Amino acid sequence: RTNVHDCDSLFVDFENSTSRNVDKNLGPIASVLSSQNTRLVTLQLFGEGLIRLGKINEALSLNATLKVLDISNNHIHCGVELGKVLCVNKTLMRLNVASNCLGSDGIIQILNSLKTNSSLVWLDISDNSNASETSTDECASILGEVLKVNKSLKYLDMSQNDIGD
């Protein structure tokens, strides 16, 4: 039997799981992430039952090893929470949250976090929002500010978010 604390990559598929079962199963993953003994570098979470990250967000704030997080193609509504995590997490280098339900507020919070985050090199937040005209202007303004101060981000995909022309 493999000890999850000894793994450097973890792929979890919640396909055909209810959101209640997913929430229950996120606890042990959060425990691994927040453990000082973890060697986990890559985490991929998939499945229709994955709607929120719950304890994972808190664990990401504490984690010092995870470099890649892929939670794309789910129904996650956690953009605001993820933005807050990115303000304090110093190790995450690659984040894929494409094709979720982050919404305008979530995208704005994530973009704002990039003003202080210096570890993220790759970010995909594509296909997440039906932005209003107000949020479109705000996203464009924030993105301009980010591009002036953030020196680490090399790849950013914001396509299919209805954010400006």
Side-chain angles (χ1 to χ4, degrees):
R1 185 173 158 176
T2 302
N3 183 346
V4 177
H5 290 279
D6 294 333
C7 296
D8 62 0
S9 296
L10 183 60
F11 172 86
V12 182
D13 187 351
F14 292 111
E15 198 64 40
N16 300 318
S17 295
T18 64
S19 60
R20 178 179 287 155
N21 287 339
V22 170
D23 287 345
K24 184 174 75 174
N25 290 317
L26 287 177
I29 297 170
S31 293
V32 169
L33 279 174
S34 58
S35 169
Q36 292 184 6
N37 298 325
T38 189
R39 294 175 26 201
L40 195 61
V41 176
T42 302
L43 177 61
Q44 296 177 303
L45 302 173
F46 297 100
E48 292 182 16
L50 190 58
I51 297 172
R52 57 192 165 276
L53 292 178
K55 295 177 182 176
I56 297 287
N57 282 325
E58 183 179 329
L60 286 170
S61 296
L62 302 170
N63 181 275
T65 60
L66 196 70
K67 297 197 180 309
V68 178
L69 176 61
D70 185 343
I71 51 176
S72 61
N73 299 302
N74 293 296
H75 295 105
I76 297 174
H77 299 84
C78 65
V80 172
E81 293 84 1
L82 270 176
K84 292 176 183 175
V85 166
L86 290 174
C87 287
V88 296
N89 183 287
K90 304 294 183 215
T91 58
L92 201 59
M93 297 176 70
R94 184 180 176 109
L95 176 61
N96 188 351
V97 289
S99 301
N100 276 292
C101 303
L102 300 181
S104 298
D105 290 342
I107 291 173
I108 288 168
Q109 181 69 37
I110 289 172
L111 288 176
N112 270 319
S113 74
L114 296 176
K115 294 176 190 174
T116 57
N117 181 291
S118 61
S119 63
L120 208 60
V121 176
W122 193 97
L123 175 62
D124 188 343
I125 54 175
S126 63
D127 191 23
N128 266 292
S129 171
N130 293 318
S132 67
E133 189 173 318
T134 303
S135 63
T136 297
D137 293 343
E138 189 173 358
C139 283
S141 174
I142 294 168
L143 184 56
E145 294 170 22
V146 166
L147 294 174
K148 289 177 187 174
V149 297
N150 185 301
K151 304 298 181 209
S152 62
L153 194 65
K154 305 296 181 211
Y155 175 86
L156 173 63
D157 187 346
M158 292 179 52
S159 63
Q160 300 177 12
N161 278 318
D162 300 326
I163 298 176
D165 297 316

